[in-house]
Amino acid sequence: MNTKTPRPGFPVAQGLYDPGNEHDACGVGFVVNMFGRRSHRIVEQGLEVLENLTHRGACGCDPLTGDGAGILLQLPYDFFAVAAPQAGIKLPAAGDWAVGNVFLPPSEGDRAAAESFFEKVCREEGLDFLGWRTVPTDNSSIGSTARDVEPFIRQAFVGRTPKIARDHFEWKLFVLRKRFGIEIGSLGLTEHAFVYVCSLSSKTLVYKGLLLADQVAKYFPDLRDPKLTSALALVHQRYSTNTFPTWDLAHPFRYIAHNGEINTVRGNINWMRARESMLAHPVFGPDIAKVTPIIREGGSDSACFDNALELLVLTGRSLEEAVSMCIPEPWSGHESMADDLKAYYEYQACLMEPWDGPAAVAFTDGVRIGATLDRNGLRPGRWWQLKDGLVVMASEAGVLDLPPADVVRKGRLQPGRMFLVDTEAGRIVADEEIKQQIVTEHPYRHWLDKYMLELGKLPDILDLPEPDHETVLQ
């Protein structure tokens, strides 16, 4: 974590305090129509879940400044069909454009420089910059502490060009966002000028900030517009156990919202940096150098995990496989686990170390949405399925008033097991089905038997001479 040049409002390292030693525990939840039916009601219910998680958040001596809250939605096409033209933006066909909320400096000079640089990088990556829309905000309800470091929020609209395949569009948006975030420092903006892209996608959109749960809808009037519809809403109220809260560290991130602590984060970051020199891809290879470092400096444990998960998904792994790689079941001593599943986890352990700790993680790619617990199961999670296709998951019961007669089934998250709703298939996908699908995609046991070498067996495999004393000393 970068402790030398903190973002506005963030304390510098001093005495025994180091902002690199941070953890958090929060409230997380989602609502989704499993048949993929979009409505503004889903947005309203998501915000209601968020407000009912208020007690899981926190505030400081300024009671109107929270630790952060937000909501992730599917890209609301009907809303932008009206809002974009009002901002002078002409949108191409659905799927060929993307939008993201961007935190920009309040200073007009810094903001203009940052926007101009974003447009430049956009053109360099072969994308079509469509325009900016100023996001309406109302800061009358937020506290002075949050207002003192409040960014100017704009939406960047980006179009796909013919030379970029539609299934590569999300990757190029990722490259654009990463390059912008990495290279913005070269502009020489005013000290502490803060720039951050909350999301940039053709599938999802994130509204978040240094807010309390009940301030999100008040701060962003967009969320109250009936034309803003979605089939899913992922929400989060942050409780920064030891963390100094900031606008950008509010959840949701681009793929996840997280409750708990990733205790292995320092090792995870180090390993991700160590393997960056070996990263390669048959299609996106030339772009790899543009997106490193993968883990963003100054991110929380949750933000770092989101960075890693995003890379795995955008380079071709399914969302379910990427999550299971990072948050595996307790497999090594599991006597009743099927051998093919154990082989899958053993193989993935050679590629990715677990992001371990007491954690409940909700995740989505805009089509599928789900949640899982770390392998110790030390964070709560409850879910309900209703007759009309509504599915609710949250850190606790009681986040929505659900008529008992309408509840088809309910359950809880389990350690290392996945709860998943697929809005394309229109159903809840069982953990067993998910794991069976991913373990049969490749012959993991065969690969392990043929290619993996165990250090303890090396003397039997290699005929090595005994080293002389000088060599041992050296």
Side-chain angles (χ1 to χ4, degrees), residues 217-252:
K218 298 173 185 175
Y219 186 81
F220 293 110
D222 283 359
L223 297 174
R224 305 196 298 269
D225 192 312
K227 294 185 292 296
L228 192 138
T229 62
S230 176
L232 58 85
L234 173 60
V235 298
H236 188 275
Q237 167 67 73
R238 192 165 184 234
Y239 186 105
S240 308
T241 315
N242 301 303
T243 312
F244 204 89
T246 60
W247 280 82
D248 61 312
L249 294 183
H251 302 216

Side-chain angles (χ1 to χ4, degrees), residues 374-440:
D374 71 283
R375 51 190 173 181
N376 295 309
L378 297 177
R379 284 293 183 270
R382 305 285 179 180
W383 62 267
W384 301 262
Q385 177 189 348
L386 276 66
K387 293 177 181 177
D388 63 359
L390 181 71
V391 178
V392 181
M393 193 290 300
S395 301
E396 60 202 70
V399 291
L400 278 182
D401 186 10
L402 304 174
D406 293 340
V407 176
V408 176
R409 54 180 174 153
K410 58 184 177 179
R412 64 179 180 85
L413 301 183
Q414 300 178 52
R417 296 173 67 83
M418 209 171 295
F419 175 72
L420 184 73
V421 181
D422 188 331
T423 63
E424 281 188 345
R427 64 192 182 96
I428 296 174
V429 186
D431 177 79
E432 292 79 8
E433 182 180 344
I434 296 169
K435 302 297 172 56
Q436 184 61 26
Q437 171 66 30
I438 58 181
V439 302
T440 55

